[in-house]
Amino acid sequence: MNNGQLIRAIGKSGVNASAVGLGTWAIGGWMWGGTDENQSIAAIQASLDAGVSLIDTAPAYGLGRSEEIVGRALKGRRDKAIIATKCGLVWHTQKGQHFFDQDGKPVHRYLGRDAIFHEIDESLKRLGTDYIDLYITHWQDPTTPIEETVRALEDLRSAGKIRAIGASNLSQNELKAYVATGSLDAIQERFSMIDREIETDLLPVTREQGVSTLSYSSLALGLLAGTIDPHRVFSGDDQRKDNPRFSTSNLLKAKQFAEAIQPVAEKHQASVAQAVIAWTLAQPGVTFALCGARNPEQALENSRAGTIRLDEQDLAALDAAIAVKLTNMDR
């Protein structure tokens, strides 16, 4: 039972998942000011109960912590979930290209066969499963040919360790290289009402090739929900602390936008955030919307968006509000 959730296919893999997915970057704590493990587990389980089957995670989210929490949450419920996790950000080797340091450890972008085979086994252990539904290259590695990376992923698929192949944070040329292999099922990219670059470079390719798109940051790190106090001060390692998007003036604009689309939300007995997520899922080429949640209340709020069906009048009203209220935001 999917509780009325919109269900969509992941490319041509034969794997289907809820159009609204739970993103677990925040659950790993890193760059989000820590995490509450019990609340995180409850959020994942609440998502499943609401019919949200797609659970997206990555080793880099807390250096394995997010995957471990997801694994604990899914114990005894693995069959209810479609797990997406990633490879290509590594700290067990210094091959590839240095990307950043986390908890004092250098993290490299590396998608060589040796690392992918190491990473899949580590992820399977942390997640407490013997297969991953969608395995995604997290960030691209300029030191390894894409064809070599895809051959390794195809071997994992043949071995039954993964069911579908994805790639994230791509240039148009990288996407075309993946598509040329014939093995790509999905991409995962930043997309929201104020982050629409992929509409011109990536989505035309994916639509033509039957490749699914998972959007992340659909609410622009919470900005588009219109619920953040314009005078809020972000602290610690919260990535929004020094982000110009979260200036007082931008937060005020976000609040005005939320007020402008309130009638559409009310028509569907929905919140502004739910209406924004539903709009995201209605965009041509956008197949799934990943939404973060750190407690059951947030998880249930996000899940409701997957049951909303916006009509042409709703979409026209939302597009008009975007054009008037969001085009002059600081980026």
Side-chain angles (χ1 to χ4, degrees):
M1 181 171 163
N2 67 22
N3 295 17
Q5 292 291 330
L6 183 63
I7 304 297
R8 289 176 169 171
I10 300 177
K12 299 169 186 172
S13 67
V15 181
N16 299 314
S18 59
V20 169
L22 174 65
T24 66
W25 182 6
I27 279 172
W30 175 58
M31 294 182 74
W32 288 91
T35 190
D36 181 319
E37 186 172 320
N38 290 332
Q39 284 287 287
S40 297
I41 288 172
I44 295 164
Q45 294 176 341
S47 295
L48 294 177
D49 291 341
V52 170
S53 58
L54 180 59
I55 310 295
D56 178 82
T57 185
Y61 301 162
L63 297 181
R65 189 170 187 197
S66 176
E67 285 188 327
E68 289 170 352
I69 292 172
V70 170
R72 284 195 272 277
L74 295 183
K75 194 170 184 180
R77 307 181 69 174
R78 173 66 181 90
D79 61 326
K80 305 295 183 187
I82 300 298
I83 299 176
T85 195
K86 306 176 186 74
C87 60
L89 293 186
V90 299
W91 58 93
H92 73 284
T93 178
Q94 294 194 19
K95 291 181 181 179
Q97 186 179 79
H98 181 260
F99 196 23
F100 57 82
D101 292 340
Q102 184 180 165
D103 294 343
K105 295 182 180 179
V107 177
H108 284 63
R109 289 158 62 169
Y110 181 56
L111 286 164
R113 182 184 185 88
D114 55 327
I116 288 173
F117 275 62
H118 171 85
E119 283 202 86
I120 187 69
D121 288 338
E122 292 298 303
S123 287
L124 291 173
K125 279 188 278 189
R126 287 189 289 257
L127 288 162
T129 185
D130 55 6
Y131 69 97
I132 303 298
D133 297 286
L134 174 60
Y135 203 41
I136 302 165
T137 56
H138 199 160
W139 284 86
Q140 301 313 304
D141 163 25
T143 72
T144 304
I146 285 171
E147 295 77 8
E148 177 186 330
T149 295
V150 172
R151 281 196 298 272
L153 295 172
E154 277 291 7
D155 287 346
L156 290 181
R157 176 146 57 183
S158 297
K161 290 188 175 184
I162 66 174
R163 299 174 68 198
I165 292 171
S168 187
N169 300 304
L170 296 158
S171 68
Q172 186 182 62
N173 286 338
E174 288 165 340
L175 171 59
K176 288 179 177 178
Y178 273 99
V179 165
T181 68
S183 297
L184 187 68
D185 297 301
I187 64 170
Q188 184 176 137
E189 298 291 331
R190 184 173 77 162
F191 178 80
S192 73
M193 289 173 166
I194 56 174
D195 294 300
R196 302 179 68 167
E197 295 82 4
I198 67 170
E199 288 180 332
T200 56
D201 58 2
L202 302 186
L203 291 184
V205 178
T206 58
R207 288 201 303 270
E208 180 184 342
Q209 298 295 327
V211 173
S212 295
T213 297
L214 291 75
S215 78
Y216 69 79
S217 219
S218 305
L219 292 172
L221 304 179
L223 179 65
L224 295 175
T227 56
I228 300 175
D229 185 321
H231 303 290
R232 177 173 170 181
V233 175
F234 297 95
S235 60
D237 72 346
D238 192 311
Q239 62 184 304
R240 296 169 290 183
K241 183 171 66 171
D242 299 313
N243 188 331
R245 282 195 172 172
F246 291 86
S247 66
T248 297
S249 63
N250 262 17
L251 290 171
L252 285 168
K253 290 170 189 173
K255 188 174 182 181
Q256 291 166 358
F257 168 73
E259 291 167 354
I261 69 168
Q262 191 66 42
V264 174
E266 289 178 353
K267 172 184 170 182
H268 293 275
Q269 298 180 302
S271 68
V272 164
Q274 290 164 346
V276 170
I277 297 166
W279 174 92
T280 304
L281 290 172
Q283 300 313 296
V286 178
T287 323
F288 303 94
L290 301 174
C291 308
R294 304 180 69 166
N295 57 55
E297 294 74 27
Q298 292 173 355
L300 292 173
E301 161 92 0
N302 294 339
S303 71
R304 168 85 171 86
T307 69
I308 297 170
R309 308 292 185 265
L310 299 175
D311 59 30
E312 289 184 11
Q313 186 178 2
D314 298 327
L315 292 169
L318 291 170
D319 287 338
I322 292 167
V324 173
K325 302 293 184 181
L326 297 182
T327 52
N328 62 347
M329 272 194 163
D330 300 326
R331 301 305 169 99

